[in-house]
Amino acid sequence: MIYDILDKRMRLNLHNFVRWKHSTRYLHTSVSNQLLQLRKTMALQEAQVTAMVKSACAEYAKPNHGNLSAETIGRLESEEGWDWTDGGKEYLAIRRKDLALGTWIILQRLEYASTNHGRLSTWHIQKLQKIRGWRWGGNFSLAELSLMASWIEKQRREYAKPNHGHLSKVDVRKLESFPGWTWSGPLYWREEETCTQK
């Protein structure tokens, strides 16, 4: 029940962002304001996931698991990282990482759609297009998102090796110039980062 309500809310939040993105207002909105709207949407998503996890864990701790149906319990327990004993901490960490990756992908797409592809150089565009499953529009499947996450983690593992493994100094510098790139933790964009239109 809680899971279903959250799922509907999350879909509505993303639907509203997409609807706004295709509205006339969006066409006259700067890229930095588009990012602000996206950031608000993703912050709302994260808050709702956190609230759902806390609520579900509280219900589960009640006699007969409170208002949680057997189906909801089964669905939650089938989720990667779900554990009733840790209060959903591992699950939340995974979901935050997923939201960060999704936000980073949208950020790259917004840059690409801006004048002269914003801060994305030809090198950035080619690197992204070489990731199996990458495309500039449409939704990604979980398998495609997993491939992108693997590519990012591969770059990070190379960077962590002595002398940055197979990454040249130029590769390191160019990866660091990706909007929102970090060498550890979730991908993000810094508050002071805004897309510059060339």
Side-chain angles (χ1 to χ4, degrees):
M1 179 177 109
I2 296 167
Y3 185 89
D4 294 332
I5 291 168
L6 176 76
D7 190 48
K8 287 176 186 170
R9 284 183 190 158
M10 289 175 68
R11 288 173 194 256
L12 181 63
N13 291 341
L14 288 176
H15 172 75
N16 287 341
F17 176 75
V18 170
R19 197 175 76 211
W20 171 80
K21 188 175 177 231
H22 289 82
S23 71
T24 310
R25 251 180 53 212
Y26 173 82
L27 297 174
H28 302 291
T29 304
S30 69
V31 176
S32 58
N33 284 340
Q34 293 170 28
L35 289 175
L36 182 61
Q37 184 68 26
L38 174 63
R39 181 179 212 145
K40 287 178 184 177
T41 300
M42 292 309 187
L44 184 57
Q45 299 284 57
E46 185 175 343
Q48 288 177 340
V49 170
T50 302
M52 183 276 296
V53 169
K54 286 181 180 178
S55 178
C57 289
E59 284 295 311
Y60 189 80
K62 292 178 181 177
N64 299 319
H65 306 307
N67 292 326
L68 293 178
S69 68
E71 179 187 355
T72 300
I73 291 170
R75 286 175 67 184
L76 289 170
E77 289 175 346
S78 70
E79 289 284 319
E80 180 187 0
W82 189 268
D83 183 0
W84 296 107
T85 60
D86 76 350
K89 289 179 184 171
E90 183 182 348
Y91 176 79
L92 284 173
I94 292 168
R95 295 293 73 82
R96 283 185 185 110
K97 193 173 179 181
D98 290 348
L99 279 173
L101 175 61
T103 304
W104 187 80
I105 289 168
I106 293 169
L107 177 59
Q108 306 316 306
R109 288 174 163 184
L110 286 172
E111 287 284 351
Y112 185 78
S114 65
T115 308
N116 295 325
H117 304 308
R119 291 173 288 170
L120 296 180
S121 68
T122 303
W123 183 90
H124 291 118
I125 293 166
Q126 289 171 349
K127 278 288 187 190
L128 289 169
Q129 289 173 335
K130 284 182 183 176
I131 301 171
R132 196 169 51 180
W134 180 269
R135 56 188 170 281
W136 294 107
N139 295 325
F140 291 104
S141 69
L142 289 176
E144 290 167 332
L145 285 174
S146 178
L147 289 171
M148 287 171 223
S150 296
W151 179 83
I152 291 165
E153 290 306 316
K154 180 180 176 186
Q155 309 312 306
R156 289 173 163 185
R157 279 194 306 274
E158 283 298 313
Y159 182 78
K161 291 178 181 177
N163 299 318
H164 304 312
H166 297 310
L167 295 176
S168 70
K169 288 180 181 178
V170 172
D171 288 336
V172 169
R173 195 171 57 251
K174 286 186 175 184
L175 284 166
E176 288 173 342
S177 67
F178 263 118
W181 184 268
T182 64
W183 289 111
S184 63
L187 297 168
Y188 70 104
W189 66 80
R190 290 175 286 281
E191 193 68 47
E192 67 276 7
E193 231 178 35
T194 56
C195 299
T196 54
Q197 298 197 9
K198 297 176 187 174

